[in-house]
Amino acid sequence: MDIPQERRIVTEIPGPRSRALLERRLQAVPRGVFYTTPIFADATSGAIIRDVDGNSLIDLGAGLAVLNTGNSAPGVTEAVRAQLDRFTHTCMHVTMNEPYLELAERLNELVPGEEPKRTMFTNSGAEAVENAVKISRYFTKRPGVVVFDHAFHGRTLLAMTMTAKVVPYKQSLGPFIPEVYRLPYAYPYRCPTGGHTPEECAESCIRYAIDQMDKQIGPDNIACLVVEPILGEGGFVVPAPGFLPRLAEYCRDHGIMFVADEVQTGIGRTGRWFGIEHEGVAPDIVTTAKSLAGGLPLGGVTGRAEVMESVHVGGVGGTFGGNPLACAAGLAVLDAIERDGLLERAERIGSLLTRRLREMAERFELIGEVRGRGAMVAMELVEDRQTKAPANHAASRLIEECYAQGVIILKAGTYDNVIRFLPPLTIQEELLGEGLDVVEKAIVAVEADAAR
Ligand SMILES: *Cc1c(COP(=O)(O)O)cnc(C)c1O
């Protein structure tokens, strides 16, 4: 649907229709299925979400990093419609289909690394992560899985175990899977090993991590190290320089599979196809999902052929994995990124975002740090720049203030105090600017509240 790319507020937000639907929702859907805005969508296009009350909101969340190519991207919609007329499902394990094959070929070319690759598909990011671990264990014949502080890998049992944060993801949901070990992530703003500069942080985290793997886990027991090239749910933390390359080197030296979880960072978000490209590392396995199929549910596991081929026939798969509608959408997403130069757009959007947020940081004490890569940008809010006490209430207030004014933004971070920006890479610059004007006014309102 073609909706004008403009913010337009015609009722209070949430309006009466959204409020009525929310009432029904509370009676029909368990509260565990959380929501961040109390708004129901009517139709979406580009960077605009029109709600059921007729308000047009600027989308700076992209449906949780899923719509890099935009809401209801025309190419994607057409590809799905064309596939819909042919067939919706065959099951790759029964009668095979070409969209699955073609998307696998495309990803095999795009994922970094010189060696031949293979790709299998799943229904979600969590399921992609689970399969990456299964395959790593099979290939190495080792049980151990190394993950990091602040990690988010999904909500299924293994993925939840690998996820760091207890509330809300793990509280009362155990017991968890054994043989999952957690190490510090080189988070320069809050360096867990006390480094005062990013370089010191990388160095001290690496030293600690390697010592743990050498002396407590034992490299011969480790199947894989699974890491986000930039922490997603964990707060858009760009790791200190050198941290990931050194970990990758350790993995190479010890036959440990280096798995880059690119579910949030991948498919153009950071200005490269994959976030790990900024680190000059070629992973053994890459997981994708979120923006891979422009809103259709699809996850991917792409890895070195030798590793991926190790599993026996029938050892991996699933009824719906690589659904043909989703794969057709995925092909259209990759085409759109190439055709519309969206990697360059991600860089451009990222620099606009970063510049505006840095200007705001000069005016507002609340902003402790602005960081990111490409169009994956965030600001971490603090009550005090000295103590860095997380301003989590201010972050929640900011989100409310913004959606009330027609702009959707999202939170992140272990301390719930990071505002992340994930605009569709197709967003018009004026619209992004207007969205950020709203954010700026909202910060003024939130600071005024806090001063009261
Ligand atoms: C969202 C996310 C997942 C989980 O994906 P789902 O599709 O929600 O299962 C895994 N890893 C990362 C890095 C993510 O951001």
Side-chain angles (χ1 to χ4, degrees):
M1 181 174 285
D2 220 10
I3 302 173
Q5 295 297 294
E6 59 190 29
R7 182 171 65 107
R8 192 160 159 266
I9 301 177
V10 297
T11 69
E12 64 175 319
I13 300 177
R17 294 219 168 112
S18 272
R19 288 203 303 270
L21 288 170
L22 182 59
E23 273 308 305
R24 276 171 57 195
R25 185 219 125 114
L26 296 174
Q27 299 307 315
V29 181
R31 66 197 177 118
V33 181
F34 75 110
Y35 60 89
T36 36
T37 69
I39 303 163
F40 281 77
D42 173 45
T44 69
S45 165
I48 291 291
I49 294 173
R50 197 176 67 202
D51 75 7
V52 287
D53 293 287
N55 300 295
S56 288
L57 295 95
I58 302 175
D59 179 17
L60 301 184
L64 240 169
V66 168
L67 302 164
N68 287 356
T69 44
N71 286 275
S72 312
V76 174
T77 313
E78 281 154 26
V80 172
R81 204 171 282 131
Q83 180 58 43
L84 186 62
D85 287 340
R86 293 167 61 215
F87 54 87
T88 59
H89 174 79
T90 63
C91 186
M92 201 54 185
H93 310 309
V94 179
T95 312
M96 290 171 278
N97 65 76
E98 200 171 338
Y100 189 119
L101 169 61
E102 197 182 337
L103 188 58
E105 289 170 344
R106 293 278 291 275
L107 286 171
N108 292 343
E109 287 304 311
L110 288 173
V111 164
E114 296 303 309
E115 288 182 48
K117 309 274 183 348
R118 299 283 187 272
T119 293
M120 65 166 282
F121 293 111
T122 64
N123 303 297
S124 69
E127 210 189 331
V129 169
E130 299 244 348
N131 278 281
V133 172
K134 278 173 70 173
I135 294 164
S136 296
R137 282 180 164 171
Y138 202 111
F139 179 70
T140 60
K141 306 282 177 256
R142 303 170 181 177
V145 178
V146 167
V147 294
F148 291 85
D149 289 345
H150 312 289
F152 182 85
H153 296 295
R155 294 169 179 278
T156 54
L157 183 57
L158 173 56
M160 169 177 70
T161 303
M162 294 165 67
T163 290
K165 194 175 172 178
V166 66
V167 176
Y169 305 123
K170 306 168 82 163
Q171 182 59 49
S172 308
L173 298 171
F176 306 111
I177 289 187
E179 293 295 335
V180 174
Y181 302 90
R182 194 171 307 282
L183 297 178
Y185 193 92
Y187 181 172
Y189 188 65
R190 299 179 187 276
C191 185
T193 45
H196 294 292
T197 63
E199 291 69 25
E200 266 178 43
C201 184
E203 192 49 46
S204 52
C205 282
I206 288 161
R207 222 179 305 120
Y208 184 90
I210 289 180
D211 190 62
Q212 290 286 304
M213 290 192 280
D214 277 344
K215 298 300 170 202
Q216 295 194 28
I217 312 169
D220 291 348
N221 303 317
I222 304 174
C224 56
L225 180 151
V226 183
V227 67
E228 294 162 86
I230 299 173
L231 294 174
E233 303 304 300
F236 279 26
V237 175
V238 180
F243 179 62
L244 294 182
R246 284 282 300 282
L247 289 174
E249 190 182 296
Y250 183 87
C251 288
R252 221 171 17 251
D253 291 348
H254 293 91
I256 298 166
M257 296 299 101
F258 184 94
V259 180
D261 183 353
E262 295 267 6
V263 168
Q264 193 150 168
T265 48
I267 319 297
R269 173 52 54 185
T270 68
R272 311 274 173 91
W273 283 104
F274 300 98
I276 198 70
E277 293 174 50
H278 295 274
E279 304 284 349
V281 167
D284 296 291
I285 299 178
V286 164
T287 55
T288 47
K290 292 204 164 94
S291 270
L292 175 59
L296 276 85
L298 185 67
V301 186
T302 304
R304 294 196 289 119
E306 183 196 8
V307 178
M308 298 294 288
E309 292 288 7
S310 65
V311 180
H312 61 264
V313 173
V316 289
T319 308
F320 289 123
N323 169 271
L325 294 174
C327 288
L331 288 165
V333 163
L334 302 186
D335 287 345
I337 291 174
E338 281 168 2
R339 185 190 61 225
D340 301 336
L342 294 186
L343 301 183
E344 293 75 30
R345 291 295 307 155
E347 289 288 358
R348 169 85 187 148
I349 287 167
S351 60
L352 289 173
L353 261 169
T354 307
R355 179 155 49 78
R356 276 298 297 277
L357 296 179
R358 293 234 157 99
E359 281 166 19
M360 291 184 212
E362 282 171 21
R363 289 182 50 208
F364 304 115
E365 287 284 310
L366 183 61
I367 303 176
E369 187 179 55
V370 173
R371 57 180 177 243
R373 262 180 184 151
M376 186 167 182
V377 178
M379 55 184 183
E380 176 154 356
L381 306 184
V382 291
E383 285 176 357
D384 177 321
R385 285 187 178 174
Q386 248 35 63
T387 64
K388 300 182 179 176
N392 53 325
H393 292 296
S396 302
R397 284 278 299 114
L398 192 63
I399 287 172
E400 287 167 15
E401 200 68 43
C402 283
Y403 72 64
Q405 295 304 319
V407 174
I408 294 175
I409 53 173
L410 298 172
K411 253 204 305 199
T414 298
Y415 312 104
D416 287 315
N417 67 325
V418 176
I419 298 291
R420 56 176 148 172
F421 295 89
L422 287 160
L425 305 178
T426 54
I427 192 170
Q428 294 165 2
E429 289 179 16
E430 311 80 75
L431 198 64
L432 177 62
E434 189 184 337
L436 292 172
D437 292 344
V438 170
V439 172
E440 188 166 346
K441 288 205 188 88
I443 298 177
V444 174
V446 168
E447 282 208 334
D449 272 10
R452 244 191 278 124

